Amino acid sequence: MKKKVIIIIAVVCVAIIAVVGTIFGVNAYNNYTIQQQTEQQVKSIDDTYSKFTKETDRAKKLVILSDFIKNKPSTNDEIKVEVLNSVEPKYNETLAKMQKFFTDDYDKTIKDNTIDSKTLEKTNDKKKLQSCIDNLEALKKTIDSEKSNVFYKKDIGNYDKKPDELISSYNDRITAIEKAEAEAKAKKEAEAKKKAEEKAKQEKKKQTESSNTNNTDNSYSDNTNSYSDSGNSYDNGDNNYSSNDSNYSGGNNYNYDSGNSSSGSSEKHYDSWYESEEGKSYFDESTGEAWDNNGNTWNYKDVQEWF
């Protein structure tokens, strides 16, 4: 009896040891499996991030991010829950760093194309404003095409509003600048038109004054010529001068002519002549010769010396 009890006890102990050993072995295997899967997932995450950082093409970076999100470890891949819980912090951290590459670029573009309100009020550079608008419009398209991955399970925040706010303020400023330019142009054109009209009036006034002056000068010249003609037409001579101011004994009139007379001895040169009852007498001042219409000749200088 005692021997049977000992055998039973021994069998129970062996069974207990077997059960404990089995349990220990299963746990050890499970732990090993969890460790192996965890290491594999961590390595996969690190390899993906390394590939992401080395890639220089933005579009390819986005593909890597998209695949990283799609291939997130799950129980569907026969990965133990313990493994998922273990690698989840690592996965989320890596996802955030990859997303940050894109959001940092968004922030830089917004910053580079932001003009503060005080500066904006003073700027008149439409080209700069239009360049900012174009850059922000391009950014909006980029965000729209990337947001499903960049903001995966995250709030898009102010990225869908800030570009629109800046674009609106820049368009308002451009409108204000163009309005001011149009007003300045209209004012300049009005001033130029006024100056042109004033100049035209002055030119017209000068022309009128010049025309009046020419008419006055022509009138004076006509009168002068008329006077000269009437004064030089006596006795049909050229440039003759007549004088009635000198009297000769008993009221005889002396008439002086500095040209060649057409009456009397027209073939001889004479400087003066006088008319008496006997007729006309002519005198050459340079030689003293004198003659009359009756054919008489004498030298009046000799006659003066005699007396």
Side-chain angles (χ1 to χ4, degrees), residues 109-110 113-115 120 128-141 143 159-175:
T109 302
I110 291 173
N113 292 278
T114 296
I115 303 174
L120 183 61
K128 181 179 180 180
L129 292 172
Q130 189 59 54
S131 176
C132 290
I133 290 173
D134 294 341
N135 293 337
L136 292 169
E137 289 286 3
L139 175 63
K140 285 177 58 181
K141 293 180 180 179
I143 292 175
Y159 289 107
D160 62 340
K161 296 179 181 179
K162 187 63 176 178
D164 284 334
E165 293 174 355
L166 292 173
I167 290 171
S168 178
S169 65
Y170 299 160
N171 280 325
D172 290 343
R173 182 54 189 163
I174 289 176
T175 300

Side-chain angles (χ1 to χ4, degrees), residues 89-276:
K90 176 76 172 180
Y91 176 87
N92 290 336
E93 179 185 354
T94 303
L95 175 63
K97 289 191 294 184
M98 294 168 71
Q99 290 174 325
K100 190 174 184 296
F101 166 83
F102 295 95
T103 56
D104 283 350
D105 184 65
Y106 301 161
D107 291 335
K108 183 178 184 303
T109 302
I110 291 173
K111 181 180 178 181
D112 291 344
N113 292 278
T114 296
I115 303 174
D116 64 86
S117 56
K118 291 184 178 180
T119 304
L120 183 61
E121 290 177 357
K122 298 178 181 179
T123 186
N124 291 314
D125 191 345
K126 291 193 295 182
K127 289 185 178 180
K128 181 179 180 180
L129 292 172
Q130 189 59 54
S131 176
C132 290
I133 290 173
D134 294 341
N135 293 337
L136 292 169
E137 289 286 3
L139 175 63
K140 285 177 58 181
K141 293 180 180 179
T142 300
I143 292 175
D144 188 60
S145 66
E146 299 175 347
K147 65 183 178 181
S148 61
N149 293 308
V150 175
F151 301 103
Y152 174 70
K153 290 187 176 181
K154 289 171 58 178
D155 183 8
I156 194 172
N158 202 34
Y159 289 107
D160 62 340
K161 296 179 181 179
K162 187 63 176 178
D164 284 334
E165 293 174 355
L166 292 173
I167 290 171
S168 178
S169 65
Y170 299 160
N171 280 325
D172 290 343
R173 182 54 189 163
I174 289 176
T175 300
I177 293 172
E178 290 177 344
K179 181 180 179 181
E181 288 177 344
E183 292 175 351
K185 182 180 179 181
K187 183 179 179 181
K188 186 176 181 180
E189 289 176 349
E191 291 177 351
K193 182 179 180 181
K194 184 178 179 181
K195 288 181 179 179
E197 290 175 349
E198 290 178 353
K199 184 177 180 180
K201 288 180 180 178
Q202 292 176 355
E203 291 294 332
K204 185 176 181 180
K205 183 179 179 181
K206 287 180 179 179
Q207 291 177 359
T208 302
E209 291 176 349
S210 176
S211 177
N212 292 338
T213 301
N214 290 336
N215 290 336
T216 301
D217 291 343
N218 291 335
S219 176
Y220 175 79
S221 177
D222 291 342
N223 292 335
T224 303
N225 291 336
S226 175
Y227 172 79
S228 298
D229 291 343
S230 62
N232 295 332
S233 63
Y234 185 82
D235 198 30
N236 295 325
D238 295 332
N239 297 324
N240 294 326
Y241 172 79
S242 61
S243 175
N244 295 322
D245 294 336
S246 299
N247 295 322
Y248 178 75
S249 84
N252 293 327
N253 293 330
Y254 282 88
N255 293 303
Y256 299 92
D257 193 332
S258 61
N260 293 325
S261 174
S262 60
S263 62
S265 301
S266 58
E267 294 180 357
K268 292 184 179 182
H269 169 79
Y270 63 91
D271 296 300
S272 61
W273 58 271
Y274 76 93
E275 186 176 0
S276 64

Side-chain angles (χ1 to χ4, degrees), residues 24-42:
F24 179 79
V26 170
N27 287 337
Y29 177 77
N30 287 338
N31 289 337
Y32 175 78
T33 302
I34 290 171
Q35 182 180 358
Q36 289 295 313
Q37 288 184 349
T38 301
E39 289 177 355
Q40 289 176 358
Q41 292 301 319
V42 170

Side-chain angles (χ1 to χ4, degrees), residues 71-84:
N71 298 325
K72 181 181 180 180
S74 69
T75 55
N76 295 332
D77 302 323
E78 297 181 356
I79 299 174
K80 293 182 177 297
V81 175
E82 293 85 351
V83 174
L84 296 178

